[in-house]
Amino acid sequence: MEKMRGKRIRPRDSGELVEDGRSESERKTRKKENDVVSKGRIGRGRGRGEVSKRSIEIDISNPEKDIKPDGSRKCLGSTCHHCKILTSESDLIFCSKCNKKCYCFDCIKRSYSERTHEEVRAACPFCMMTCICRACLRLPLVIKPPSEKDTDVKLKQLQYLLVKVLPVLKDIYTEQNRELEIESTIRGHPVTEANIKRCKLDPSERIYCDLCRTSIANFHRSCPNKNCSVDICLSCCKELSEGFHQERDGKKNAEGKGYECRIPAGQGKDSDAYVPLHFSTWKLNSDSSIPCPPKECGGCGTSTLELRRLWKRDWVEKLITNAEKCTLNFRPTDVDIVHECSSCSTNSDSIRRQAAFRKNAHDNFLYSPNAVDLAEDDIAHFQFHWMKAEPVIVRNVLEKTSGLSWEPMVMWRACREMDPKRKGTEEETTKVKALDCLDWCEVEINLHQFFEGYLEGRMHKNGWPEMLKLKDWPPSDLFEKRLPRHNAEFIAALPFFDYTDPKSGILNLATRFPEGSLKPDLGPKTYIAYGFHEELNRGDSVTKLHCDISDAVNVLTHTAKVEIPPVKYQNIKVHQKKYAEAMLQKQQYSGQVKEASELENKSMKEVDESKKDLKDKAANEEQSNNSSRPSGSGEAEKVIISKEDNPTQPAVSTSVESIQEQKLDAPKETDGNTNERSKAVHGGAVWDIFRREDVPKLIQFLKRHEHEFRHFNNEPLESVIHPIHDQTMFLSDSQKKQLKEEFDIEPWTFEQHLGEAVFIPAGCPHQVRNRQTVSSLA
């Protein structure tokens, strides 16, 4: 057993304390001290996985004995600030900066291993604001606010914000007017905003669309039934009226305007888990009004949705008028977003990163500055790329902070002890629901076990690596309350303060919401997930393809590399090989069956027509033997031409080739030694972010190959409502190659490393695969 100074071990079959690595004299001295203070000990017992606490105690049998001349009490021993254990001075390092705090060798080794004893003696973790004891983690961290901006600078920034917001306000106004015209048609007379009933919400209440789960800003249609709470945004109303959901599996509903309904589970559109889709006939009324969805879709199915508004009448129109007045004399700087950034070209080696290989493109490189080197005027450079809807990667953002630990176990310890009066506290801090990427189902797991798996790895019974994802823990509405110091550290780490500060960022639109309105949830939201360095093609730790409706920034705060024993790694490779072969056989079989069925149906009609043509030719022409060909060969040629002309035909052969190529491209297996794999330095996560202009082609590709994607229980997708918003598809490396070949589009692909902040523009579909166990905030 390794000897560690001052470490205590409690044997399982004994209640005595055994000290490891101490001389006989030290043991006797410690025993004597313990005997002296045992009568007056106040503290808690040692809980499972928890260090016991003891206060500084005195001999209560003779209270006057330990009183100093100045009236203060003399302690028989000193206490480590972190673990609060009474320890002899020889086991402690006293801080020479504050002359108050001291830390024991065990705590320094276990919790502050990145610092030497000399560094702790010069300035302890408490003085450096990096102490991770429970008491310190719950103390708010005071962050120096940025200096107040000059009035003229602030005015120009606000005018810039209004110029960017004006087009959005005008789109909302146009959308509302269009819905008023529809309402006028339904009612049979002109309708204005004054005729629309206003819904007054509680300040703490937020209203969402029940179809797309998007937050509703003003106009919407709502069910008047008191026992029903269905609300639908204007965008979904427009899609319903235009028959966006009319088609199911490529076929129109035979009854007319039928629509598909789905009820997402969890928190809405950003949730990874969905309940099975519910299909139902949902018809428009004869006057083009929209009925409430059927019961199986979450509605009542009896009432007609009525137009409602949330704000005062003509509110949007007044906003537009006022914004135009404020920006009348403001002219933003002209920016040439067509050509390559001149600043990036000048400093190509230090502030940009290649993420794509498109031909004749100026956006293959992404702006990637170092947070330490950012200056005040660099925000203009950021805006140049942000206006082009390009992702931005900022390196070393954690270097700007005090160095507080982001290890998940530290955060867990800070959240363990909650208010005993609060109901559900114990359950909330011991068990969580995580997502298992093997079958995309939720699993309940002890939080401590989840974090142990984060550091050490977990395996399924069949030997396949277990990939769990934990999102939004602790809940974002309680993050600031439970982890105030981590919350302050995160905000301090965010670059481009004017955009990212959730409370005072002058260019953060959410901070400009009117008084009394419920602002959107700005986070931070935690994302803690396991990872694996290779792409497994099944059970990979991924965030599937999706699209956010608002800009976001993701900071990778912690990574952990799980070392897999050679035997287990070889077992994984065997399972991976068997799975690839099984998938190959399935695709070949399904392709042959489908092709044979299509050939049979197609040939019956064409053979009959060919026979008729041959009979006519034989009757009218004498040289029938030379002029006619066997019907079989003719049919074969027709089928081949038909397949080439039909782009929707499943590309079975291409899929098979992709799998084979992937097997060839896979890393060569070693002789059971993991040293070679451990030498490779990988980032924590691989990002794929698509350009906004490529979304239509991306959707075409996903619809064409939707049968090749798998989700629940690794089964093929039964149906697809929207290939991006459903969050059920993830493009593997082979599928990304196929996308490039068929549509000549590719995403920005890059690795996110520890301490990097990724800015994701709204409307850009993206997916993420974890190469290590990672913890990030967004």
Side-chain angles (χ1 to χ4, degrees):
M1 181 182 291
E2 182 184 356
K3 294 185 179 182
M4 291 189 293
R5 193 176 185 185
K7 183 172 181 179
R8 302 189 183 108
I9 302 173
R10 186 188 298 275
R12 294 184 180 179
D13 57 348
S14 173
E16 299 179 356
L17 290 176
V18 177
E19 300 182 277
D20 183 27
R22 293 192 171 278
S23 64
E24 188 66 27
S25 60
E26 287 177 322
R27 289 195 182 113
K28 290 181 179 179
T29 302
R30 176 56 58 87
K31 186 176 185 303
K32 184 178 180 180
E33 291 175 354
N34 289 340
D35 291 339
V36 171
V37 300
S38 62
K39 295 182 180 180
R41 178 171 297 144
I42 306 170
R44 301 171 59 183
R46 184 185 297 265
R48 184 179 179 183
E50 177 184 6
V51 180
S52 64
K53 281 187 174 182
R54 301 175 191 167
S55 60
I56 302 176
E57 297 129 354
I58 61 172
D59 183 1
I60 61 175
S61 63
N62 187 2
E64 304 297 328
K65 175 183 176 182
D66 298 300
I67 296 180
K68 295 181 180 180
D70 60 359
S72 62
R73 293 192 182 279
K74 179 176 64 176
C75 298
L76 296 175
S78 299
T79 323
C80 171
H81 174 75
H82 183 96
C83 64
K84 304 299 187 293
I85 294 180
L86 190 66
T87 311
S88 65
E89 292 188 5
S90 61
D91 291 333
L92 294 170
I93 295 180
F94 289 83
C95 177
S96 59
K97 184 176 181 180
C98 63
N99 293 320
K100 294 180 180 179
K101 308 297 180 184
C102 55
Y103 289 77
C104 67
F105 288 101
D106 283 352
C107 287
I108 295 172
K109 183 177 181 179
R110 181 175 58 250
S111 302
Y112 310 97
S113 57
E114 73 282 356
R115 304 193 64 195
T116 64
H117 293 175
E118 289 71 22
E119 290 174 336
V120 174
R121 187 173 287 107
C124 68
F126 181 86
C127 294
M128 297 295 292
M129 296 188 297
T130 59
C131 183
I132 57 175
C133 72
R134 287 177 184 162
C136 288
L137 287 175
R138 296 191 184 106
L139 291 175
L141 185 64
V142 180
I143 301 295
K144 183 180 178 181
S147 56
E148 187 67 23
K149 294 180 178 293
D150 182 75
T151 305
D152 293 337
V153 174
K154 191 173 182 179
L155 177 61
K156 288 182 179 179
Q157 286 187 316
L158 290 172
Q159 287 176 323
Y160 173 86
L161 182 63
L162 285 175
V163 168
K164 297 300 179 183
V165 169
L166 260 174
V168 180
L169 291 175
K170 291 179 179 179
D171 287 344
I172 294 175
Y173 183 66
T174 301
E175 188 179 49
Q176 292 183 172
N177 285 337
R178 183 178 61 246
E179 202 66 22
L180 287 175
E181 292 176 1
I182 294 174
E183 188 68 15
S184 299
T185 303
I186 294 173
R187 297 189 186 186
H189 59 81
V191 176
T192 63
E193 284 197 43
N195 306 121
I196 306 301
K197 184 178 179 180
R198 182 185 177 188
C199 296
K200 292 187 178 181
L201 301 177
D202 185 88
S204 62
E205 185 180 0
R206 191 190 304 278
I207 182 171
Y208 289 96
C209 173
D210 284 288
L211 288 184
C212 68
R213 306 302 296 171
T214 303
S215 181
I216 292 174
N218 192 20
F219 273 30
H220 63 285
R221 291 196 175 271
S222 180
C223 181
N225 189 342
K226 293 182 179 180
N227 298 322
C228 184
S229 58
V230 168
D231 300 299
I232 300 179
C233 69
L234 295 190
S235 297
C236 286
C237 289
K238 182 175 181 291
E239 291 177 352
L240 289 169
S241 300
E242 294 177 351
F244 179 81
H245 299 287
Q246 278 186 24
E247 299 183 4
R248 174 180 177 181
D249 296 333
K251 297 180 181 180
K252 270 192 176 181
N253 190 314
E255 299 184 28
K257 295 182 178 180
Y259 302 100
E260 296 179 0
C261 314
R262 66 174 180 178
I263 306 174
Q267 301 299 318
K269 224 172 165 183
D270 61 346
S271 174
D272 285 317
Y274 282 83
V275 298
L277 300 178
H278 294 267
F279 296 95
S280 175
T281 301
W282 187 9
K283 301 179 183 178
L284 291 178
N285 295 325
S286 57
D287 59 356
S288 297
S289 61
I290 302 175
C292 187
K295 290 184 179 180
E296 61 266 27
C297 295
C300 64
T302 58
S303 304
T304 299
L305 301 182
E306 297 180 357
L307 191 60
R308 295 284 187 266
R309 59 185 171 92
L310 299 178
W311 296 99
K312 296 179 180 179
R313 64 179 181 179
D314 304 325
W315 178 65
V316 177
E317 185 178 8
K318 290 177 182 177
L319 280 178
I320 294 173
T321 302
N322 293 335
E324 288 177 337
K325 287 181 180 179
C326 292
T327 58
L328 186 63
N329 299 321
F330 176 76
R331 293 291 179 270
T333 306
D334 293 332
V335 178
D336 182 12
I337 62 175
V338 178
H339 298 92
E340 188 176 4
C341 174
S342 57
S343 299
C344 286
S345 301
T346 306
N347 305 281
S348 59
D349 296 333
S350 58
I351 62 170
R352 69 175 190 169
R353 183 183 303 182
Q354 186 164 8
F357 298 88
R358 308 180 188 97
K359 294 181 180 179
N360 303 320
H362 298 290
D363 57 359
N364 287 332
F365 290 85
L366 296 178
Y367 178 43
S368 182
N370 191 324
V372 180
D373 301 329
L374 284 176
E376 189 72 24
D377 55 354
D378 283 320
I379 192 169
H381 192 174
F382 169 78
Q383 288 173 335
F384 173 86
H385 294 278
W386 203 235
M387 283 188 288
K388 297 172 66 176
E390 294 178 3
V392 174
I393 311 165
V394 183
R395 296 170 283 126
N396 300 323
V397 298
L398 297 180
E399 296 296 323
K400 299 163 51 181
T401 64
S402 64
L404 185 67
S405 174
W406 285 97
E407 185 179 343
M409 291 292 279
V410 172
M411 300 169 67
W412 169 74
R413 190 171 66 249
C415 293
R416 278 193 67 189
E417 290 184 0
M418 301 301 298
D419 185 2
K421 297 179 180 179
R422 189 166 175 263
K423 294 182 179 180
T425 298
E426 184 67 23
E427 182 73 15
E428 195 174 277
T429 56
T430 57
K431 290 185 179 181
V432 291
K433 289 184 178 180
L435 197 65
D436 190 341
C437 295
L438 187 66
D439 56 9
W440 293 97
C441 296
E442 283 187 339
V443 294
E444 191 175 75
I445 185 172
N446 178 277
L447 194 56
H448 189 266
Q449 291 177 349
F450 174 86
F451 287 136
E452 281 184 339
Y454 175 93
L455 297 172
E456 302 170 5
R458 289 172 63 93
M459 292 285 180
H460 286 284
K461 292 181 179 179
N462 62 359
W464 199 268
E466 188 172 1
M467 298 296 164
L468 299 180
K469 293 169 52 179
L470 182 62
K471 291 184 65 176
D472 200 14
W473 175 89
S476 55
D477 57 336
L478 296 175
F479 188 91
E480 184 176 2
K481 180 181 178 181
R482 296 188 182 185
L483 297 166
R485 298 194 69 185
H486 285 89
N487 183 74
E489 283 270 285
F490 176 70
I491 295 174
L494 295 175
F496 307 117
F497 181 86
D498 291 334
Y499 280 93
T500 56
D501 189 273
K503 294 183 178 179
S504 58
I506 195 169
L507 296 177
N508 189 339
L509 185 60
T511 65
R512 304 295 153 189
F513 274 45
E515 293 293 333
S517 63
L518 185 61
K519 297 180 181 180
D521 183 8
L522 301 180
K525 291 179 178 290
T526 56
Y527 177 94
I528 306 173
Y530 300 178
F532 196 76
H533 61 283
E534 294 180 24
E535 187 177 69
L536 300 173
N537 279 317
R538 183 195 179 191
D540 288 287
S541 178
V542 300
T543 298
K544 296 205 172 184
L545 190 67
H546 68 288
C547 189
D548 297 325
I549 60 173
S550 60
D551 301 328
V553 56
N554 180 289
V555 179
L556 187 56
T557 55
H558 187 270
T559 62
K561 186 175 181 180
V562 177
E563 293 293 342
I564 300 177
V567 176
K568 290 186 177 181
Y569 178 73
Q570 292 298 331
N571 190 28
I572 293 172
K573 300 302 293 182
V574 170
H575 279 289
Q576 187 180 18
K577 184 178 180 180
K578 289 181 179 179
Y579 176 73
E581 292 173 350
M583 290 297 300
L584 184 62
Q585 291 177 359
K586 277 187 177 181
Q587 289 189 2
Q588 288 176 334
Y589 177 75
S590 61
Q592 291 171 359
V593 170
K594 188 169 185 178
E595 186 175 352
S597 177
E598 291 177 354
L599 286 173
E600 183 179 359
N601 295 333
K602 195 171 187 179
S603 298
M604 290 298 294
K605 184 178 179 181
E606 292 185 349
V607 167
D608 291 340
E609 292 178 353
S610 298
K611 287 180 178 179
K612 185 179 180 181
D613 292 340
L614 288 173
K615 287 180 180 179
D616 293 339
K617 282 189 176 184
N620 297 329
E621 299 180 8
E622 296 180 356
Q623 299 178 351
S624 58
N625 292 333
N626 297 326
S627 61
S628 62
R629 292 179 299 173
S631 60
S633 61
E635 288 306 318
E637 289 183 10
K638 289 181 182 179
V639 171
I640 293 174
I641 294 173
S642 175
K643 286 183 68 177
E644 290 177 350
D645 292 340
N646 185 6
T648 61
Q649 188 73 14
V652 177
S653 60
T654 308
S655 300
V656 173
E657 291 171 4
S658 299
I659 293 175
Q660 291 173 343
E661 288 175 3
Q662 187 172 350
K663 291 170 69 176
L664 291 173
D665 293 338
K668 294 182 179 179
E669 296 183 8
T670 63
D671 56 354
N673 192 348
T674 58
N675 290 336
E676 297 204 14
R677 290 186 291 108
S678 62
K679 290 180 182 178
V681 179
H682 299 301
V686 178
W687 287 71
D688 296 306
I689 304 179
F690 288 88
R691 300 185 298 187
R692 287 176 183 167
E693 59 265 33
D694 292 337
V695 172
K697 290 183 178 180
L698 175 62
I699 292 177
Q700 288 183 42
F701 174 83
L702 296 174
K703 286 183 176 180
R704 178 184 296 183
H705 300 284
E706 64 182 43
H707 62 282
E708 299 173 17
F709 293 90
R710 295 172 176 265
H711 193 53
F712 287 119
N713 297 315
N714 201 42
E715 294 294 330
L717 295 174
E718 293 182 2
S719 61
V720 177
I721 302 293
H722 194 289
I724 296 176
H725 296 324
D726 288 358
Q727 298 188 42
T728 56
M729 298 182 177
F730 181 87
L731 291 162
S732 64
D733 288 341
S734 60
Q735 288 169 324
K736 284 186 287 185
K737 292 178 182 178
Q738 193 173 353
L739 174 64
K740 177 75 172 179
E741 293 170 358
E742 294 184 18
F743 288 93
D744 195 28
I745 63 172
E746 62 176 288
W748 289 291
T749 301
F750 57 90
E751 289 194 7
Q752 181 187 22
H753 295 265
L754 179 64
E756 291 186 341
V758 177
F759 286 77
I760 310 108
C764 291
H766 54 282
Q767 62 179 27
V768 188
R769 184 176 75 82
N770 300 316
R771 302 196 71 168
Q772 298 185 58
T773 52
V774 298
S775 175
S776 61
L777 278 83

